[in-house]
Amino acid sequence: MENIQVGAVAPDFTLPDVDGNPVTLSGLRGKYVLIDFWASWCNPCRKEIPNLKKLYAQYSEKGFEIVSISIDQKKADWEKALKEEGLPWPNFLDETGVAALYKVKFVPTMYLINADGVMVGENLRGEALAEKLKELFQ
């Protein structure tokens, strides 16, 4: 059983991106990665996107990456939401059970992972996420 908590190494996974190219979590080592589990129908998820875009613009060149994984059942719903939101970071549709691997019970669920692949934050959103990133990148 995977240990999903702050201080544990994040379970590795590989997902195809929107173009079908495989992306592996461990391939992002060396960066701080926010794994964002969301869905097109989730209002709190969609409300958080402007904050994520702001933080991504602020920290992406310093080594911050966001990986959004949608739990949408219908690919068309996910693709429509991607077009509407214009997310500038890697996006994936969870067709292989990554959400189950991470014991996601609701969305949004977020995990912040450090450059060594260790979880350093869980469900940080809004101001809490901004504060944590400020602390990590100062």
Side-chain angles (χ1 to χ4, degrees), residues 17-20 70 72-82 93 95:
D17 67 12
V18 287
D19 300 318
S70 168
D72 276 293
Q73 297 298 310
K74 295 187 181 124
K75 192 171 187 177
D77 294 347
W78 171 62
E79 289 171 339
K80 180 175 181 272
L82 286 183
L93 183 61
E95 296 175 303

Side-chain angles (χ1 to χ4, degrees), residues 13 15 25 33-39 42 44-46 48-50 52-53 64-71 78 82 85 87 89-94 98-99 102 104 106-113 123-125 129:
F13 58 83
L15 284 170
L25 178 63
V33 179
L34 182 73
I35 304 176
D36 167 34
F37 290 96
W38 73 294
C42 166
C45 300
R46 303 285 289 259
E48 183 66 17
I49 288 173
L52 292 178
K53 282 183 171 175
F64 177 57
E65 186 63 85
I66 298 174
V67 172
S68 286
I69 302 173
S70 168
I71 63 163
W78 171 62
L82 286 183
E85 299 293 354
L87 304 178
W89 53 80
N91 283 274
F92 307 93
L93 183 61
D94 186 16
V98 175
Y102 276 79
V104 174
F106 56 85
V107 286
T109 292
M110 298 183 186
Y111 294 104
L112 185 62
I113 296 163
N123 290 325
L124 298 170
R125 289 197 289 282
L129 180 59

